[in-house]
Amino acid sequence: MSDCSAPLSRSLSGVLFLLVLLVPGALFAQDGGAATLPAVTVQTGADGAQTYSLTLQIMLLMTALTLLPALLLAMTSFTRIIIVLAILRQAIGLAQTPPNQVLIGLALFLTFFIMSPTIGEAYQNGVKPYLDGQVAGEVAFEQTAAPLRRFMLQQTRDSDLDMFRRIAGKPQFESPDAVPMSVLIPTFITSELKTAFQIGFLIFIPFLIIDLVVASVLMSMGMMMLSPMLISLPFKIMLFVLVDGWSLLVGTLAGSFMTGT
């Protein structure tokens, strides 16, 4: 396990490094790609003392660092996984079990498992050649984003893509490569939300049936003061354990991305 996780960790770190390194340069590049703003300005006073001042580039770089994790999570399988896990907890009726930290941790590592082929391809095609000085920054950025773009297109519904295309006022896209990121990202997130709620609905049905059966039995016995949730909770937990719910759910989520939608 350690032999596999180490290269993937380096790949993910490399992808993040390249995105953080190139985005500020793309924002501040002058016409023709001549130069960018200096990171640190050194000023020498009359007495020979030197003062250092940070430019606007550093401020925007730090802002990008705070927004980059949320942006990358929105462009990966994390959205679908965390929503399905939250719906599962709600369906069982456990308010704080498993806790949020456990659900987020499971979603993150499952996202890392699902996205590892995409991250590895992005590292080999874009990050590694850039670090070796074989390609320019703009080319490396496009090659790094290409596997992520392909992953999002595989999970995107055509109806959602057409809706955002019409909202943006753009003509029909000639090929998947012609879809801009400004259209692809919201389309992917919308499709992921739809898929997550569809999976959540299917998860909710057996637990809802147990709640209805328990409520009917209690009402027929005249025990209307007793909360049905208190009685149905052990049965829902037992059902989830008997069908090996965690393995079934995690395997289904991972398989839904491997086969595409």
Side-chain angles (χ1 to χ4, degrees):
M1 182 65 182
S2 58
D3 296 338
C4 298
S5 60
L8 291 177
S9 300
R10 291 194 298 269
S11 301
L12 180 58
S13 302
V15 172
L16 293 176
F17 170 75
L18 183 61
L19 291 175
V20 172
L21 186 64
L22 296 180
V23 167
L27 291 176
F28 285 95
Q30 300 176 355
D31 294 339
T36 60
L37 292 177
V40 179
T41 302
V42 181
Q43 297 178 350
T44 303
D47 56 352
Q50 292 182 342
T51 58
Y52 300 87
S53 61
L54 299 179
T55 62
L56 186 62
Q57 182 179 3
I58 293 298
M59 184 185 69
L60 292 181
L61 176 61
M62 298 305 296
T63 304
L65 286 175
T66 60
L67 297 178
L68 189 61
L71 179 63
L72 291 179
L73 289 179
M75 297 166 62
T76 61
S77 59
F78 180 82
T79 301
R80 182 190 304 185
I81 296 172
I82 192 62
I83 291 178
V84 171
L85 293 178
I87 292 177
L88 170 65
R89 185 173 65 179
Q90 184 70 23
I92 296 178
L94 299 172
Q96 298 296 331
T97 304
N100 293 331
Q101 293 85 347
V102 175
L103 292 184
I104 294 176
L106 176 60
L108 284 174
F109 280 101
L110 189 56
T111 299
F112 185 77
F113 170 77
I114 294 171
M115 299 297 299
S116 58
T118 303
I119 294 174
E121 183 180 354
Y123 178 80
Q124 293 295 331
N125 295 342
V127 179
K128 192 175 185 301
Y130 175 77
L131 296 179
D132 294 339
Q134 300 176 359
V135 296
E138 293 78 6
V139 177
F141 185 81
E142 293 178 359
Q143 293 178 353
T144 302
L148 190 59
R149 171 192 290 272
R150 185 166 59 251
F151 171 81
M152 289 190 291
L153 284 172
Q154 290 175 351
Q155 310 299 326
T156 298
R157 290 177 170 83
D158 294 336
S159 59
D160 294 332
L161 184 60
D162 186 65
M163 178 189 68
F164 279 98
R165 179 196 59 79
R166 287 186 284 103
I167 294 175
K170 296 183 179 297
Q172 289 287 347
F173 301 119
E174 298 179 356
S175 64
D177 295 335
V179 180
M181 281 293 188
S182 59
V183 175
L184 179 58
I185 293 177
T187 303
F188 171 74
I189 296 175
T190 303
S191 297
E192 286 297 282
L193 290 175
K194 288 183 179 180
T195 304
F197 274 84
Q198 290 175 354
I199 298 175
F201 171 76
L202 297 177
I203 292 175
F204 228 105
I205 290 178
F207 300 109
L208 180 61
I209 293 176
I210 294 178
D211 287 333
L212 292 176
V213 171
V214 171
S216 300
V217 172
L218 292 179
M219 185 171 293
S220 64
M221 296 175 61
M223 304 174 64
M224 291 177 288
M225 298 300 295
L226 184 61
S227 174
M229 293 294 298
L230 184 63
I231 304 299
S232 63
L233 181 58
F235 291 98
K236 290 190 288 187
I237 295 177
M238 181 181 65
L239 172 66
F240 191 71
V241 172
L242 289 178
V243 300
D244 196 11
W246 285 114
S247 298
L248 183 62
L249 179 63
V250 170
T252 301
L253 283 173
S256 67
F257 287 101
M258 300 302 180
T259 58
T261 57

